[in-house]
Structure formats: structure tokens, C-alpha cells
């Protein structure tokens, strides 16, 4: 084989490779989609590069003094709120949120949630009552909690038939 023949072969091979790669890059017409394909696909929504609402940022150069902002700032601390979890027998989990300032407790169970109001002046036991069943229906719910740390509690509740009272003895979890 001579050098001229080799150059010609390389040149033809290069042209053939270029032609194949160009034909592969050409855009071919896609088959037309059916109406069902269009419904099944999520339609693309063009988005604007502009923000929906322009944001105007204002930068304060000088810091305000304490006297200028003291009336604007109010801090509230819930010092009389505590949350405790109890496990009861028969099996029941009770989440109790006490609000001492309002003399209330919110009792939450898998049967429902109810807000009870303290009905006595004592602290051992504290007695909370509401004339509603735990599921919000007709009946009553009563929560008695003992000890200063509210370590144990007894929940009594009944539905529409108030002669059928369910009682649960509860202990605070750690």
C-alpha cells in the first residue's frame, strides 16, 4: 500500500464518520402524541425571570436607642404553664398541659382533647371538671391530680350514659 492510497482511505473514512455524526445530530420529527398522552403528562409552565413582587429593602444606617424602642418591645413569658405525660391503667396515654394562671388543664388522649377548669381551692388533690365527654360529646370528664409535682392522677369520664363511668389511674412518666 502506498502513502497516497492510505491518505485517500483515511480521508474517505473521515468524511463517512462526519456524515454519520451529522445525520445523528439532525432533528427528526417526533411522532404526534395522542390526547391521552397529553392528559397524562404534566404541562410545563414557563416561568418569568422577574420576581412576582419586587422587594424593596430599607437599611437603617443609625441604630435606635433603647429609649426609642422600649415601648415597641413587649416580652411575654408563660411561667405558669407546664406539660406532663401520664401512662394510665387501663391502658391510656394522657398529655396534660396545665395553665396555673387560668386554673385550667388541657387533657389530650387518643380519644380526644378537652379543656377542664379547676373546681376546688386545694392543691392536693387538684380537681378539674368539664361537662363534656373527652370526645366532645355529651357526658363529663374529671381529672384529679395529686402531689405538688402532679405525680399521679385519676381521670373519670362518661358519655351520654353518665351512670357508666370509666376510671383511669395515671402515673407521670419521667
Amino acid at each position: 500500500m502506498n502513502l497516497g492510497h492510505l491518505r485517500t482511505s483515511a480521508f474517505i473514512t473521515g468524511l463517512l464518520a462526519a456524515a454519520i455524526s451529522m445525520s445523528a445530530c439532525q432533528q427528526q420529527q417526533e411522532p404526534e402524541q395522542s390526547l391521552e398522552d397529553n392528559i397524562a403528562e404534566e404541562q410545563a409552565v414557563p416561568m418569568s425571570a422577574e420576581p412576582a413582587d419586587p422587594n424593596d429593602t430599607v437599611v437603617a444606617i443609625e441604630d435606635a436607642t433603647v429609649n426609642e424602642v422600649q415601648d415597641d418591645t413587649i416580652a411575654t413569658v408563660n411561667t405558669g404553664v407546664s406539660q406532663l405525660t401520664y401512662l394510665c391503667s387501663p391502658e391510656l396515654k394522657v398529655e396534660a398541659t396545665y395553665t396555673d394562671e387560668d386554673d385550667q388543664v388541657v387533657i389530650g388522649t387518643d380519644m380526644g382533647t378537652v379543656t377542664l377548669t379547676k373546681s376546688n381551692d386545694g392543691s392536693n388533690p387538684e380537681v378539674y371538671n368539664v361537662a363534656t365527654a373527652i370526645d366532645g360529646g355529651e357526658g363529663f370528664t374529671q381529672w384529679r391530680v395529686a402531689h405538688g409535682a402532679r405525680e399521679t392522677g385519676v381521670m373519670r369520664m362518661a358519655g351520654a350514659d353518665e351512670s357508666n363511668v370509666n376510671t383511669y389511674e395515671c402515673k407521670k412518666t419521667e
Side-chain angles (χ1 to χ4, degrees):
M1 226 178 206
N2 65 21
L3 185 60
H5 188 53
L6 187 59
R7 281 187 196 160
T8 306
S9 293
F11 180 71
I12 292 174
T13 304
L15 283 176
L16 183 60
I20 290 173
S21 65
M22 286 182 66
S23 67
C25 293
Q26 288 184 358
Q27 194 174 29
Q28 297 179 357
Q29 187 174 4
E30 294 183 16
E32 200 161 313
Q33 294 180 339
S34 69
L35 179 60
E36 291 173 356
D37 291 339
N38 285 341
I39 292 171
E41 281 185 17
E42 185 175 323
Q43 298 295 320
V45 177
M47 296 183 71
S48 170
E50 296 295 319
D53 295 319
N55 293 329
D56 294 332
T57 305
V58 177
V59 177
I61 304 297
E62 296 179 19
D63 287 339
T65 65
V66 172
N67 291 335
E68 292 173 340
V69 297
Q70 70 183 357
D71 294 334
D72 295 341
T73 307
I74 298 172
T76 303
V77 178
N78 292 329
T79 56
V81 175
S82 59
Q83 295 178 324
L84 300 174
T85 301
Y86 297 87
L87 293 179
C88 306
S89 175
E91 189 174 334
L92 182 68
K93 182 178 179 182
V94 173
E95 299 285 336
T97 304
Y98 297 93
T99 309
D100 294 331
E101 186 177 294
D102 297 332
D103 287 332
Q104 291 184 333
V105 63
V106 176
I107 299 291
T109 69
D110 59 352
M111 294 180 279
T113 302
V114 67
T115 301
L116 297 94
T117 303
K118 190 171 180 182
S119 62
N120 70 338
D121 291 330
S123 62
N124 193 16
E126 296 175 72
V127 180
Y128 297 87
N129 291 298
V130 68
T132 307
I134 192 92
D135 62 2
E138 188 178 337
F140 75 88
T141 306
Q142 182 183 68
W143 176 250
R144 292 173 175 263
V145 64
H147 309 293
R150 296 174 170 150
E151 294 172 12
T152 61
V154 174
M155 183 160 54
R156 297 178 65 235
M157 58 186 166
D161 179 11
E162 292 189 11
S163 65
N164 184 14
V165 177
N166 295 317
T167 303
Y168 297 87
E169 296 196 21
C170 308
K171 292 186 181 196
K172 180 175 80 170
T173 62
E174 297 302 318

